[in-house]
Amino acid sequence: AAKIPLAGQVDAEWGLLARAAGGNGDAFTALVEQHQARLVALCTRWLGDREAARDAAQEVFLKAFRHAGRAVPRGQFYTWLYRIAVNHCLNQLRRRKVARFFSFQGLGAGRESGSAGHEETAFDPADGGPDAERELLARERWRATRQRLERLPEGQRVVVMLARFEGLSGREIAETLGITAGAVESRLVRAMRRLAPQEEERRPVPVKEGGVG
């Protein structure tokens, strides 16, 4: 886990970024090695496709490198990197929606369903193995979770994803999104209120021992 700098301190990784901006390739390689796995995991959760996530992570690092000379060292380096990643993934998702719309208009619903299938690539059932059933159940749960999250307004969905799946604190989310901690808390509360009724609908009705009476 990344070490959170105390108030008034600057994350040491900003120094690596500054060296990278000055042409030090090794410094940027160190940043990539430190954050690549976490960034790919984040992009996978947003995009639902492991290969697309790897491509997205690479593009995020390229954007970070291009902006290295203009970055302002404030807070934690990885929240700055996350901001680039989240914006990139949201743009990817918006482009998918537009592409699906025109695909549907031009080629009919059959092509639309084919496009939707690509987004589920990361959740295809595993082939055999002792843990295949457990993995399949986990993927089904995650698919259901994604469906509920997709019903949220974008601002609320982003906060829930960063809090619940990336493990960021309220302060870190605020830094990542460039909003106040109060706005983070407000969006999270509203999102939980929206999600609560959906959780109730999915929760099985308890049955007393001896059957339904």
Side-chain angles (χ1 to χ4, degrees), residues 81-213:
L81 188 65
Y82 267 35
R83 181 185 299 190
I84 298 175
V86 168
N87 286 335
H88 180 79
C89 288
L90 288 175
N91 286 334
Q92 289 285 317
L93 293 173
R94 291 177 191 127
R95 281 195 287 270
R96 282 184 186 179
K97 289 182 179 180
V98 171
R100 286 178 187 166
F101 173 78
F102 285 108
S103 176
F104 179 82
Q105 292 291 328
L107 299 175
R111 180 67 175 274
E112 166 71 5
S113 61
S115 297
H118 174 73
E119 192 170 339
E120 296 293 338
T121 299
F123 308 110
D124 287 342
D127 296 327
D131 295 326
E133 184 176 355
R134 184 186 309 169
E135 185 176 351
L136 176 58
L137 289 173
R139 288 173 176 175
E140 289 294 339
R141 286 195 297 270
W142 174 237
R143 182 183 289 110
T145 299
R146 278 177 60 87
Q147 290 173 348
R148 295 198 300 275
L149 289 171
E150 285 169 1
R151 298 190 187 106
L152 293 174
E154 184 176 284
Q156 295 177 24
R157 184 170 72 251
V158 171
V159 169
V160 172
M161 292 282 283
L162 292 176
R164 295 304 174 89
F165 301 107
E166 305 306 326
L168 301 192
S169 68
R171 190 191 82 176
E172 291 167 338
I173 295 172
E175 289 179 2
T176 299
L177 301 180
I179 60 179
T180 65
V184 170
E185 183 177 357
S186 175
R187 291 183 189 183
L188 190 57
V189 168
R190 281 181 286 162
M192 291 300 100
R193 285 175 180 167
R194 283 175 174 263
L195 290 172
Q198 298 177 40
E199 291 288 353
E200 289 296 331
E201 290 175 5
R202 288 176 50 82
R203 188 172 301 166
V205 177
V207 178
K208 297 180 180 179
E209 292 185 7
V212 180

Side-chain angles (χ1 to χ4, degrees), residues 53-75:
R54 291 193 182 98
D55 291 341
Q58 184 175 1
E59 291 178 32
V60 169
F61 281 121
L62 288 174
K63 287 181 179 181
F65 184 77
R66 287 197 294 267
H67 289 87
R70 302 194 298 273
V72 178
R74 183 170 53 238

